[in-house]
Every structure is written in structure tokens, then in C-alpha cells.
């Protein structure tokens, strides 16, 4: 029996060695694969739980806006020849179920006129059908293609009622707008295209305007130096498409009495107010010789659109000073959405991104201290 035990023991050892040689490595490999997959799955879950949308609106610490910078970083201006605008045939119209909203605005305007008050004029505008961005093949300069449709101011006002209930109980916002796809919206909801200009005087003072309480849209808010809507009546001759640089120059003339030879003008970005669906081209203008006092003296002699502005402030055009001005408690919740993003881009254009972001971070820390 002892000999049999010895033989069995030897046989068992040999079989064990063979098993280890033949199966240990495959088992280890399988184990490592299982571990790797499980770790990857956990990481994937964490990634999903911590993910954020690639499209986020501009914010500066506690100052949150609905302005989405769609194209432009401030550092590299968009050349005028890189902007292509096409006007499509066929006017943008409201869906039939809310067409009576347009009639309500027309009736209100007629009533105001009968009462001897200022009516709501139905100016001719453009709706943004689409905005596409590409790059030139060699230099990779930005190219922006805007497709516009004719519309009018009453359509714009009607479509601004994004949270008004329609006959089936839904709203325009819930039916047509997806927060995760901010660039997708029907043209009738995008009947606002304009320009915003950050103006800096020859002695480095940023011009900041406060909108009048008499304007219909965003009254009393603090805004860019110049804000001008694109008009079919004024900015397009015949069937030609509007030129955004020309619209900016018209705004500079009407709101600040400045002529083209008195400043340089650069296009920095295209921005979308995702809350109200307003599209804007953001410009930076530097006055050649006119100082703050010179501009103030000129404005004292009258401007074409004086009624649009309640107040004009002059802020030293330094990143820390402008950031502190934006975050001032009296203004932080009273900004038109486009202005903070515009001023940030203008600062980046002049002072560089690293300097501006460092100064803005310090301003936010001081605000929270």
C-alpha cells in the first residue's frame, strides 16, 4: 500500500505541474482581462456621471449669462472676407396656430397710435436660417456662412414669447428648442441678428452703455458700447445681402457720432443668446485719437439714437478693472447677455488670454472673499 501511495503522489504532482504549465497563464490572462474591463466600466460610469456639455455659455465666477460664443476666441479676428451671407427667398412666418400673436402686436401698435403715443413700428428684419463654420484649407482661417430669410419686427416680438402656452398647452421653447442642441432652431425663432461693439478710446477707456427704459427689449440693462440690429430697409440695397462691418459702422455713427476714419474695427466672434435666440457679431473698435473727454464732448452735442442709452460709463481698459466692474453688486444681475462675453473677448484681443484669465480669476476671488 505504501508503494501505491507513493505512485499516486508522484502521479498527482506530475498532473498538477502539467495543469499549472498548461492552464495557469491562460487563467491569469483571463483574470486580468476581467479586471481591466471592470475598471474600464467603472471609469466609463464615472466619466458619464461627471461629463458636461461641450457647448457652455459664458460665465465669470458668479456672473452667468446665456451668451454662447459659437465662433471666435478674441485672439484671432475673423477677416471680413471670411464672412459669407446669403439671403434666401421666402419670408419667415409664424406657425399657423400662433399667427394671431402677430395680429395682437399689430393691434396694440394701432391702439397706441390712436392714443397719440409711440406705436410699435414693424421694421423689416432678417431671420437666421443657419450659421455654418469651416476653415480655409491652408491657413485654417475661419469662414462663416450665414443664411438669412426676410422677416419683420412683429414676427420677432411674437416669437419672443417662448414660454407662452400654445393651444395644445405646450410652449415654443419646449416644442422647438433642445438645450443639448443649442444651434438647432427654426428660423422663425431666430428673427434677431445684430452687432455689438466694444469701443475703447485713445486713452484706454472702455465705453459701457446702459439701455434706456424706453426701449422694448432688455430695458435698463448694462450693455456693449454699441448695439445695432441688422435692418433690411437700411443695410440691404435691392437684393444684396447685408455687410456686418457696415452695420457696425452705422451703429458707431448713430449711437456715438463716430465716423469710420476715426477708429479701427475688427470682428472677434459670433455669439448666440440661447435664452432668447438672438444672434450677434461681436466687434472691437479702437479710437485713433479721440479720448474719453473728446468723446463725451461730442456726445454732448447730440447723437441720432440718444434715446436708446440711459447712461454711459467709462472704465479703464485693464482686465482686472473690467472684471471688477462686471462683478459689481449693482450691475452683476443687470447685464445684457452679450456684453460680458464681448468685453472678455476684447480684453483677450488686446492683452492676451493668459493675462486676462489670471486677472479675472483674481477678481472672482475678491468677489467671493
Amino acid at each position: 500500500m505504501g508503494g501505491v501511495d507513493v505512485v499516486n503522489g508522484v502521479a498527482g504532482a506530475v498532473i498538477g505541474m502539467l495543469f499549472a504549465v498548461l492552464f495557469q497563464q491562460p487563467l491569469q490572462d483571463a483574470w486580468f482581462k476581467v479586471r481591466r474591463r471592470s475598471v474600464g466600466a467603472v471609469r466609463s460610469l464615472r466619466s458619464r456621471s461627471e461629463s458636461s456639455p461641450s457647448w457652455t455659455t459664458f460665465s465669470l465666477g458668479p456672473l452667468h449669462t446665456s451668451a454662447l460664443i459659437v465662433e471666435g476666441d478674441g485672439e484671432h479676428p475673423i477677416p471680413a472676407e471670411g464672412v459669407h451671407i446669403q439671403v434666401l427667398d421666402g419670408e419667415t412666418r409664424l406657425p399657423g396656430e400662433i399667427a394671431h400673436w402677430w395680429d395682437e402686436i399689430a393691434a396694440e401698435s394701432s391702439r397706441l397710435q390712436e392714443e397719440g403715443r409711440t406705436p410699435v413700428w414693424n421694421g423689416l428684419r432678417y431671420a437666421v436660417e443657419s450659421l455654418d463654420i469651416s476653415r480655409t484649407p491652408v491657413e485654417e482661417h475661419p469662414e462663416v456662412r450665414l443664411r438669412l430669410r426676410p422677416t419683420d419686427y412683429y414676427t420677432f416680438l411674437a416669437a419672443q414669447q417662448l414660454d407662452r402656452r400654445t393651444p395644445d398647452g405646450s410652449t415654443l421653447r419646449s416644442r422647438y428648442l433642445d438645450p443639448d442642441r443649442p444651434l438647432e432652431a427654426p428660423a422663425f425663432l431666430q428673427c434677431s441678428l445684430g452687432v455689438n461693439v466694444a469701443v475703447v478710446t485713445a486713452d484706454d477707456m472702455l465705453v459701457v452703455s446702459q439701455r434706456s427704459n424706453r426701449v422694448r427689449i432688455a430695458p435698463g440693462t448694462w450693455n456693449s458700447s454699441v448695439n445695432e440690429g441688422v435692418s433690411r430697409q437700411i443695410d440691404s440695397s435691392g437684393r444684396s445681402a447685408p455687410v456686418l462691418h457696415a452695420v457696425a459702422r452705422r451703429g458707431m455713427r448713430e449711437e456715438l457720432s463716430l465716423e469710420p476714419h476715426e477708429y479701427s474695427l475688427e470682428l472677434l466672434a459670433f455669439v448666440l443668446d440661447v435664452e432668447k435666440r438672438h444672434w450677434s457679431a461681436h466687434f472691437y473698435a479702437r479710437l485713433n485719437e479721440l479720448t474719453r473727454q473728446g468723446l463725451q464732448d461730442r456726445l454732448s452735442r447730440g447723437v441720432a439714437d440718444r434715446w436708446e442709452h440711459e447712461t454711459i460709463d467709462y472704465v479703464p481698459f485693464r482686465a482686472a478693472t473690467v472684471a471688477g466692474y462686471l462683478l459689481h453688486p449693482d450691475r452683476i444681475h443687470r447685464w445684457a447677455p452679450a456684453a460680458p462675453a464681448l468685453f472678455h473677448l476684447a480684453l483677450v484681443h488686446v492683452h492676451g488670454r493668459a493675462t486676462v484669465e489670471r486677472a479675472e480669476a483674481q477678481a472672482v476671488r475678491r468677489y467671493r472673499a
Side-chain angles (χ1 to χ4, degrees):
M1 292 296 294
V4 173
D5 291 339
V6 171
V7 171
N8 288 340
V10 171
V14 171
I15 293 171
M17 291 177 62
L18 288 172
F19 184 89
V21 170
L22 294 174
F23 298 105
Q24 182 178 13
Q25 191 60 45
L27 287 172
Q28 287 180 344
D29 291 344
W31 168 245
F32 284 128
K33 287 181 180 179
V34 170
R35 285 189 60 189
R36 188 162 54 245
R37 289 175 180 173
S38 63
V39 170
V42 171
R43 287 177 179 171
S44 177
L45 287 172
R46 287 177 179 172
S47 176
R48 283 197 294 270
S49 64
E50 297 172 1
S51 64
S52 60
S54 58
W55 295 96
T56 54
T57 56
F58 180 82
S59 63
L60 178 61
L63 172 58
H64 299 278
T65 76
S66 54
L68 178 66
I69 301 174
V70 177
E71 171 61 20
D73 59 5
E75 294 181 296
H76 306 94
I78 302 170
E81 61 271 18
V83 180
H84 309 277
I85 300 179
Q86 178 186 10
V87 178
L88 306 174
D89 293 329
E91 288 209 14
T92 297
R93 300 191 181 280
L94 297 169
E97 62 182 344
I98 62 169
H100 64 282
W101 296 2
W102 192 101
D103 298 329
E104 291 172 0
I105 296 167
E108 178 194 0
S109 182
S110 297
R111 177 180 58 79
L112 291 172
Q113 192 166 17
E114 290 172 0
E115 295 173 356
R117 299 159 62 188
T118 302
V120 182
W121 298 114
N122 190 23
L124 303 182
R125 302 166 66 95
Y126 287 108
V128 177
E129 178 86 8
S130 65
L131 183 144
D132 298 316
I133 301 164
S134 61
R135 294 290 184 269
T136 57
V138 180
E139 300 89 353
E140 293 193 351
H141 292 157
E143 284 199 325
V144 178
R145 299 184 183 278
L146 265 171
R147 299 169 72 237
L148 309 178
R149 285 194 183 277
T151 189
D152 58 47
Y153 189 56
Y154 287 1
T155 300
F156 162 72
L157 291 178
Q160 283 292 284
Q161 302 176 74
L162 289 166
D163 299 307
R164 179 178 174 179
R165 297 292 177 182
T166 61
D168 67 358
S170 67
T171 65
L172 300 181
R173 190 185 305 279
S174 64
R175 183 184 299 184
Y176 294 103
L177 301 180
D178 182 350
D180 296 327
R181 299 177 180 272
L183 301 185
E184 298 179 9
F188 79 88
L189 290 183
Q190 303 191 131
C191 294
S192 178
L193 172 63
V195 301
N196 281 276
V197 188
V199 176
V200 177
T201 64
D203 53 346
D204 291 319
M205 301 297 289
L206 174 66
V207 180
V208 183
S209 68
Q210 183 184 24
R211 289 176 64 80
S212 168
N213 287 319
R214 294 183 293 273
V215 298
R216 194 176 184 96
I217 303 298
T221 56
W222 290 92
N223 202 5
S224 55
S225 317
V226 169
N227 171 249
E228 192 67 53
V230 179
S231 167
R232 276 200 288 149
Q233 294 160 305
I234 302 172
D235 300 312
S236 298
S237 57
R239 293 179 58 85
S240 65
V243 177
L244 296 179
H245 282 73
V247 178
R249 286 190 286 269
R250 176 169 66 81
M252 295 282 282
R253 182 182 302 110
E254 293 180 359
E255 297 188 17
L256 297 179
S257 292
L258 293 167
E259 297 300 328
H261 70 274
E262 296 184 288
Y263 56 85
S264 60
L265 186 67
E266 294 177 286
L267 174 58
L268 300 183
F270 283 88
V271 175
L272 170 65
D273 177 357
V274 297
E275 178 70 20
K276 293 292 187 180
R277 308 304 305 181
H278 297 180
W279 282 96
S280 172
H282 277 21
F283 287 86
Y284 166 73
R286 170 80 183 194
L287 305 190
N288 300 329
E289 298 179 359
L290 209 59
T291 64
R292 165 191 174 173
Q293 188 59 53
L295 179 59
Q296 190 63 36
D297 290 344
R298 182 173 298 184
L299 295 178
S300 70
R301 295 191 286 271
V303 295
D305 287 341
R306 178 186 295 278
W307 63 275
E308 289 191 8
H309 296 161
E310 190 78 22
T311 307
I312 291 182
D313 278 359
Y314 297 89
V315 184
F317 193 56
R318 297 187 295 271
T321 307
V322 173
Y325 182 86
L326 290 169
L327 296 175
H328 192 280
D330 291 343
R331 283 179 293 271
I332 189 170
H333 301 301
R334 300 174 59 196
W335 283 104
L342 169 63
F343 296 154
H344 166 81
L345 291 167
L347 286 165
V348 169
H349 180 63
V350 174
H351 299 292
R353 181 167 300 280
T355 298
V356 172
E357 290 185 347
R358 197 160 47 242
E360 289 177 340
Q362 292 173 353
V364 170
R365 286 196 292 271
R366 285 195 297 270
Y367 176 88
R368 290 172 172 166

